[in-house]
Amino acid sequence: MTVDLEALGLVALALGVAMAGLLIPRFPTGELGTAFQRALAGRVGWGAYLLPWPFVVLGGFFLFRRNPPAWPRVTFGYLLSGVGAWGVLMLVHPSAAGAWGAEARAWLTGAGGWLMAVPALLAFTLGLEAMLGLRPTRIVRSVLLGLMRATRRAGRWALAARRSARARAAFRADVALVRKDLTRVQRDLAALAGLYPGSAELTRWREQVQELKGRLRGADGEMLDEARADAASWRAAVDAFTADRAEDLVAHLRAEGVRDFFEWARTRAAYLAGGVEGASQVAQALDGVRKALALDLTALDTRYRRLTRERDQAEAALARASASSLVTASQAHAARRQAYHEVADAAEALERDAEHLETWRDLVGDVQRLLEAFPDEPEVHDLDGALAEDLRARGRAALSQQAPWAEAVAAVEARAQEARRRAKEEAVAAQAVAAQAGAASSPGRTGVSDEALLGPADVPAGGEEDTATPDAETDAETDADAPPFDPTGQEADGAVGPSLPRGGSHAVRPSATRDADDMPEVGGIPIQLPRDDLLDPGRPHGDDPEAQRREVEMRVRKIDQTLANFNLQGRVVSSVRGPTVTRFEVEPAPGEKIARFSNLADDLALAMAASSVRIEAPIPGKSVIGLEVPNADRDLIRFREAVESPSYARAKARLPLILGKSIDGQMWVGDLAKMPHLLIAGSTGSGKSVAVNTMIASLVFKFLPTDLRLLMIDPKMVELTPFDGAPHLIRPVVTNPADAAGVLLGAVSHMERRYKMMSRIGAKNLDQYNEKARNLDLPHLPFVVIVIDELADLMITSPKEVESAIMRLAQMARATGMHLILATQRPSVDILTSLIKVNVPARVAFAVSSSHDSRTILDTMGAERLVGLGDMLFYQPGLVKPARLQGPFVSEDEIAALAAFLRRQYFDDEFVEAYAADFEPVSADESEASGLIDWNDDKLRVAAEMVINEQQASVSRLQRRLSVGHARAGKLMDSLEALGVVGSHVGSKPREVLVALEDLPDIFGR
């Protein structure tokens, strides 16, 4: 059937135009148009305007006899796209989608409503694809693929941007770090330039650093690497400059202070401790001025000690000094120097006032004599009050104006003498008149005596009558010829006090501290710590600094030359001179093996003509190798120097042991309580016994016998026996090796006793026990240090007993306050067994003959390179490597003086009375006499004479003074009690002595 396309096209075109006309509100369509608009546009909104256009387009084609083959597909696509567009419009603008769109949008609420946009857009794209003749979903797939590609491109771009930003940020951070380093270098250089304003080198460095910092503004990677290397070089240069200046400043710090201030302060304090005697007002006022001077001296001493402490702290801080700390230390050094000058000026002023105080003492004595001679003279009392008022008002300022007051005293005395002379003349005249009158009335009556008229004060000491004379000058001459008045009320004995650092001397008063020479050489003294003056003073080092410098330079050249001869890359960067050796610090080149340096000890010794060279590779805490070369002239370290060193004086150690001085010049003080036992070994003559005496003396200088007791075992009978009789000893020094094992086993028993005592009151160590015992009124337990001078003899005599006793003590005795010091000159494995070494970790090695002996002592080599005479290696847990020290020297005379001072001390020895039996071995030498009196003991009469002379008797004192054991001393005391020489036992107090020395022949016979 043939279709008339023109007619169909005309109808479609007319329908489309009619629908468009009815939908346009501006056209006058009447009620039909309004109803059509309401029915169609009112329901679907703007979607109604899409309906006429397919009819218009198809009508146009059909009218012109065109029949497009794809018009059904295009029309379907157009309608489908319109539906999709209406759906999107309904979601976006519901009012434009008509009533149906508003209702649908109201029904589709929340996020679920917006999900309808997906099918709407899909319908729209499918319609477009149908219109364009594309495959379904092509547009959607193309869009999704495009989005994925865009997303990947955006991700790659963002990643590249982040990488680029990160690289730029890292570069800027590196630049900032280098700039920060340079800024620090600039700040340090500015500080150093302020400290050394005349240094052209610092000015040039600052300019170069500023120039390098300016080049960083446009720096690239290569320039940044160069700048970083330059910054490191500048930092190293500034640190080296600072370290050199710090060493110079340390030398200046060590020169700070006032010479002999402490000695002067101690002398002045002893002098000012003596009060002003007398009951006069001026004596009391002058005593107040003396107390003020003593307070000023204490404040001055405290200030000086604070300055010294600050100096020591500054010196310690300069070991790792920075530029800012160097500037601070320099400023503090300048301030301290000024403070030291002020202290010196104040000390000079106080010294002058102390000298004036002595003249005032004489003046006070004169006033006291006037008050006693003229008690009724008002002028004398007025003078006393005026002098006292002037001293109270002006204090120290009045001391320098003594001369006018001395003239006033002389004038008052002269007037008083004149008044008394006149009174005496008048009394004599009255006596003569009365005598004449009495003779006239009663010739047998005697006259009144001068003593009755003048009083006892005017009668001479000889008892003869004073012949009155009118000559006043004769009396004045007699007074002038009389001996000067002694304000102490005693005759002058010629004793002169210690001299002052700036001249002058004063008589030592009874209340002042006496020297050791003033103490009685016979008899006991209360327990007290030894004084430094018992030791020999240290001698100043007289070495030539210039010669030492030349020696060091020569040795540095030889070391560098020797290293070059063996193709070793390294150089000497610094040197430190110690008392025994000089340590040269060698910095090896990068990549150079340290073992190659360690093998050159003998070659270096040969090159420098030295006895031995010890190599420490590396030095702990430093990236250098130490070459320790013996000095041509060794420095002798006296024990007094060690005792007076701040390291010992301010030591916080519980049991301080003076070990020696290190190469750096520091005095090492160990703590036996932390070690807790010490092993000393070395060959004969290496300084082992001197070190043992030094350690014993360092304990004795810190502890009274009530706080520390010593148990000494000396098979050689010559090293520790000088301490025999000292109050610190629990029993006399054990010299018989056969008794030593019993004594050590007794020490083990005493240790077990201490553990039982501690467990009863819940104490874990000795300090806790003593604290709780003090609250519970229980006896105090002292520390016990067991000293064995020659362990080898004991190990040979009784190896099993000695080793087992030492093992038990080493393992358990620490908590009870018992510690061991073991010494031997035979460092072999059969003496220093592995069991002993594992329990005695702290060790001191002196010079030995072989590296095998060194390994036996220290488990490492090095002791075979020591030079002897106190040169030692000390190791304890916590040290990286053994430290090389030079032990101080204590002479036999010093030990003898110290022991003699200790032997004279006495006290109530409760510890020995209670526990000495624990340390006594079973001996066959004890007396076997029966009965209470042991007449076979040859020391019975000696003991009786001793207790009578000293007027006190105790078992512990007999044990010390007679050098006998506790058992024998107890038997002697029982015998003396049975003989009636001493009284019965009264607890811890000494027994009462009942007889005199002249009664002994009646007891013992002549």
Side-chain angles (χ1 to χ4, degrees):
M1 182 179 75
T2 302
V3 179
D4 189 357
L5 294 178
E6 293 180 0
L8 184 58
L10 181 61
V11 173
L13 180 60
L15 181 59
V17 172
M19 290 175 63
L22 291 173
L23 289 173
I24 297 175
R26 294 180 180 272
F27 288 173
T29 57
E31 294 180 0
L32 179 62
T34 301
F36 186 80
Q37 290 178 5
R38 187 168 52 252
L40 189 59
R43 286 181 172 84
V44 298
W46 287 95
Y49 294 98
L50 299 176
L51 295 176
W53 304 111
F55 295 100
V56 174
V57 175
L58 287 177
F61 275 106
F62 291 159
L63 185 61
F64 291 101
R65 295 184 176 182
R66 299 287 183 89
N67 186 10
W71 68 267
R73 176 174 56 79
V74 174
T75 302
F76 172 76
Y78 174 77
L79 294 176
L80 186 58
S81 298
V83 171
W86 181 83
V88 174
L89 183 64
M90 175 268 294
L91 294 172
V92 177
H93 202 301
S95 60
W100 290 357
E103 292 176 1
R105 187 66 183 90
W107 180 68
L108 299 171
T109 58
W114 288 101
L115 291 176
M116 292 303 298
V118 177
L121 291 174
L122 183 60
F124 180 76
T125 56
L126 290 174
L128 288 179
E129 290 167 349
M131 291 172 60
L132 299 175
L134 301 176
R135 296 180 62 183
T137 68
R138 180 175 178 180
I139 295 177
V140 174
R141 288 186 286 106
S142 300
V143 171
L144 292 177
L145 290 175
L147 289 175
M148 291 175 62
R149 294 190 184 96
T151 302
R152 287 196 295 269
R153 285 196 296 270
R156 288 194 295 269
W157 178 84
L159 180 60
R162 284 197 300 271
R163 290 177 177 174
S164 178
R166 191 181 298 113
R168 289 195 298 272
F171 182 78
R172 287 195 296 270
D174 292 341
V175 172
L177 287 176
V178 175
R179 189 182 299 277
K180 185 177 181 180
D181 292 341
L182 292 176
T183 302
R184 291 176 181 173
V185 172
Q186 275 187 316
R187 185 167 59 249
D188 293 346
L189 287 174
L192 293 174
L195 186 60
Y196 305 101
S199 177
E201 185 179 15
L202 291 176
T203 303
R204 185 175 69 257
W205 286 4
R206 293 180 63 187
E207 293 175 354
Q208 293 176 356
V209 172
Q210 182 62 32
E211 180 184 357
L212 178 60
K213 191 176 177 181
R215 292 203 305 268
L216 285 176
R217 296 173 183 172
D220 53 6
E222 184 178 358
M223 184 179 295
L224 177 63
D225 294 338
E226 295 178 358
R228 186 183 291 111
D230 292 343
S233 300
W234 284 116
R235 168 52 57 194
V238 172
D239 290 344
F241 184 88
T242 304
D244 293 340
R245 297 305 181 272
E247 291 180 0
D248 297 340
L249 182 57
V250 166
H252 290 290
L253 291 180
R254 292 175 179 173
E256 287 183 1
V258 181
R259 184 178 179 86
D260 298 332
F261 177 84
F262 288 120
E263 183 66 26
W264 172 83
R266 186 162 49 247
T267 305
R268 287 295 103 223
Y271 169 69
L272 294 176
V276 179
E277 299 180 355
S280 61
Q281 299 182 40
V282 66
Q284 298 175 2
L286 185 62
D287 194 62
V289 174
R290 177 196 63 80
K291 293 178 180 178
L293 284 174
L295 289 176
D296 292 343
L297 176 61
T298 302
L300 193 64
D301 182 68
T302 302
R303 183 182 180 188
Y304 186 84
R305 291 180 183 276
R306 177 177 57 81
L307 292 173
T308 304
R309 184 168 57 254
E310 292 176 356
R311 180 196 64 189
D312 296 341
Q313 293 173 354
E315 182 178 349
L318 286 176
R320 295 180 297 274
S322 61
S324 58
S325 62
L326 179 63
V327 173
T328 304
S330 299
Q331 295 172 352
H333 166 62
R336 276 197 306 275
R337 288 185 60 188
Q338 180 62 30
Y340 276 124
H341 285 300
E342 295 175 358
V343 168
D345 295 340
E348 290 181 0
L350 195 146
E351 177 66 24
R352 289 193 298 268
D353 291 341
E355 292 177 354
H356 295 149
L357 181 66
E358 181 63 23
T359 60
W360 272 88
R361 289 179 186 267
D362 298 336
L363 186 61
V364 168
D366 293 343
V367 174
Q368 185 70 25
R369 181 170 55 84
L370 287 179
L371 288 173
E372 294 174 356
F374 307 99
D376 299 329
E377 259 322 305
E379 189 176 7
V380 175
H381 290 280
D382 293 341
L383 176 64
D384 182 27
L387 274 171
E389 183 66 25
D390 184 59
L391 284 175
R392 294 191 185 98
R394 294 194 297 161
R396 291 176 56 179
L399 294 177
S400 59
Q401 299 180 3
Q402 182 262 352
W405 287 110
E407 296 175 359
V409 170
V412 169
E413 183 179 8
R415 288 194 294 270
Q417 292 284 359
E418 179 66 19
R420 175 164 291 185
R421 186 185 63 78
R422 291 176 181 175
K424 187 185 298 185
E425 292 177 354
E426 294 176 358
V428 171
Q431 181 183 9
V433 172
Q436 292 176 359
S441 60
S442 179
R445 183 180 178 183
T446 59
V448 180
S449 66
D450 291 344
E451 182 179 358
L453 291 176
L454 301 181
D458 296 324
V459 178
E464 299 179 356
E465 295 185 356
D466 185 12
T467 305
T469 173
D471 191 1
E473 296 180 0
T474 304
D475 293 335
E477 291 174 0
T478 303
D479 294 337
D481 295 337
F485 178 71
D486 184 8
T488 64
Q490 302 176 2
E491 295 182 358
D493 56 358
V496 179
S499 61
L500 300 173
R502 296 173 184 83
S505 63
H506 300 281
V508 176
R509 300 185 176 270
S511 58
T513 304
R514 290 183 177 270
D515 293 338
D517 296 338
D518 298 329
M519 293 185 180
E521 296 183 0
V522 179
I525 58 175
I527 57 171
Q528 54 190 284
L529 294 177
R531 302 183 307 274
D532 297 350
D533 55 12
L534 293 173
L535 306 174
D536 296 338
R539 292 175 294 182
H541 302 302
D543 299 333
D544 185 8
E546 183 63 25
Q548 293 179 356
R549 185 187 62 81
R550 290 194 299 268
E551 179 185 358
V552 168
E553 291 179 353
M554 178 189 67
R555 289 187 169 182
V556 167
R557 289 194 300 269
K558 289 184 177 179
I559 291 173
D560 291 338
Q561 182 180 358
T562 304
L563 295 178
N565 292 338
F566 287 91
N567 297 324
L568 287 176
Q569 301 297 323
R571 62 186 182 91
V572 179
V573 294
S574 64
S575 63
V576 180
R577 190 182 191 278
T580 305
V581 298
T582 299
R583 184 176 65 197
F584 297 90
E585 298 180 356
V586 178
E587 181 181 17
E592 195 71 59
K593 291 185 177 181
I594 298 179
R596 299 185 61 195
F597 290 88
S598 302
N599 297 329
L600 287 182
D602 296 334
D603 300 288
L604 290 171
L606 177 63
M608 288 180 287
S611 58
S612 64
V613 173
R614 178 174 176 265
I615 298 180
E616 187 176 13
I619 298 176
K622 296 183 179 181
S623 58
V624 294
I625 298 171
L627 307 181
E628 298 173 359
V629 183
N631 296 330
D633 297 323
R634 301 177 59 172
D635 298 337
L636 178 64
I637 303 173
R638 306 293 301 192
F639 182 64
R640 182 167 181 174
E641 176 186 350
V643 170
E644 295 176 348
S645 65
S647 302
Y648 179 74
R650 306 172 188 171
K652 297 181 180 180
R654 198 69 182 88
L655 291 173
L657 294 181
I658 295 176
L659 299 174
K661 183 178 288 188
S662 64
I663 298 177
D664 299 330
Q666 179 183 2
M667 187 65 66
W668 279 48
V669 178
D671 189 357
L672 184 60
K674 293 182 179 179
M675 291 181 186
H677 312 290
L678 181 62
L679 174 63
I680 304 173
S683 60
T684 303
S686 59
K688 173 177 55 62
S689 298
V690 174
V692 172
N693 288 331
T694 298
M695 294 175 186
I696 295 173
S698 61
L699 291 174
V700 169
F701 266 87
K702 283 287 187 181
F703 289 92
L704 294 174
T706 54
D707 298 322
L708 173 75
R709 305 311 294 262
L710 298 171
L711 180 63
M712 297 185 182
I713 301 175
D714 181 17
K716 293 190 295 186
M717 298 182 287
V718 293
E719 299 297 343
L720 301 181
T721 49
F723 289 100
D724 232 342
H728 294 77
L729 266 65
I730 300 175
R731 52 154 294 127
V733 179
V734 180
T735 57
N736 187 357
D739 295 339
V743 172
L744 290 176
L745 292 176
V748 173
S749 301
H750 181 71
M751 176 192 69
E752 294 173 349
R753 182 199 291 264
R754 288 196 174 199
Y755 269 117
K756 293 178 182 178
M757 296 169 64
M758 292 164 57
S759 64
R760 290 194 190 102
I761 62 175
K764 293 184 177 180
N765 53 50
L766 184 64
D767 291 333
Q768 291 183 8
Y769 173 83
N770 286 331
E771 182 178 357
K772 294 183 178 182
R774 190 182 305 110
N775 298 330
L776 299 175
D777 198 18
L778 295 176
H780 170 86
L781 286 181
F783 285 99
V784 175
V785 178
I786 303 172
V787 183
I788 302 176
D789 184 61
E790 186 48 65
L791 182 61
D793 287 350
L794 304 185
M795 294 294 291
I796 293 173
T797 305
S798 305
K800 293 183 180 180
E801 293 81 0
V802 171
E803 184 176 10
S804 62
I806 291 177
M807 286 298 304
R808 294 207 61 195
L809 291 171
Q811 291 173 354
M812 300 177 58
R814 175 180 184 177
T816 63
M818 300 176 67
H819 304 274
L820 294 168
I821 298 179
L822 310 176
T824 180
Q825 63 182 3
R826 184 180 165 188
S828 58
V829 293
D830 56 338
I831 303 301
L832 303 182
T833 63
S834 58
L835 293 177
I836 293 179
K837 289 171 58 178
V838 76
N839 289 283
V840 186
R843 302 164 198 168
V844 173
F846 288 88
V848 294
S849 58
S850 66
S851 60
H852 177 73
D853 293 341
S854 178
R855 288 193 187 96
T856 303
I857 303 171
L858 297 174
D859 298 327
T860 184
M861 295 189 299
E864 73 280 1
R865 298 285 182 179
L866 301 178
V867 296
L869 298 180
D871 191 16
M872 71 175 78
L873 290 177
F874 170 70
Y875 176 78
Q876 72 173 10
L879 294 178
V880 180
K881 291 182 178 181
R884 188 168 188 175
L885 307 174
Q886 173 62 42
F889 174 74
V890 56
S891 64
E892 296 180 0
D893 294 338
E894 291 176 289
I895 294 297
L898 177 60
F901 177 79
L902 295 176
R903 289 192 195 99
R904 297 173 53 203
Q905 300 182 6
Y906 64 87
F907 69 107
D908 297 336
D909 199 347
E910 299 178 1
F911 179 78
V912 169
E913 295 286 348
Y915 305 113
D918 292 348
F919 301 91
E920 289 295 328
V922 178
S923 176
D925 297 335
E926 297 292 344
S927 175
E928 297 179 356
S930 60
L932 295 176
I933 302 175
D934 185 6
W935 295 103
N936 295 327
D937 197 330
D938 57 348
K939 292 192 176 182
L940 180 59
R941 182 161 186 165
V942 178
E945 294 175 352
M946 188 194 74
V947 298
I948 292 174
N949 287 329
E950 298 183 357
Q951 287 298 305
Q952 57 178 341
S954 65
V955 175
S956 59
R957 188 152 184 83
L958 287 178
Q959 181 181 350
R960 290 196 306 271
R961 294 299 301 273
L962 299 180
S963 298
V964 296
H966 182 268
R968 188 176 180 185
K971 290 183 179 181
L972 287 172
M973 188 59 67
D974 293 339
S975 299
L976 293 177
E977 182 182 355
L979 291 172
V981 178
V982 298
S984 60
H985 180 64
V986 288
S988 61
K989 296 182 180 179
R991 298 175 185 241
E992 182 183 1
V993 180
L994 303 177
V995 300
L997 189 63
E998 55 269 15
D999 297 332
L1000 287 183
D1002 297 335
I1003 298 175
F1004 293 96
R1006 300 182 183 276

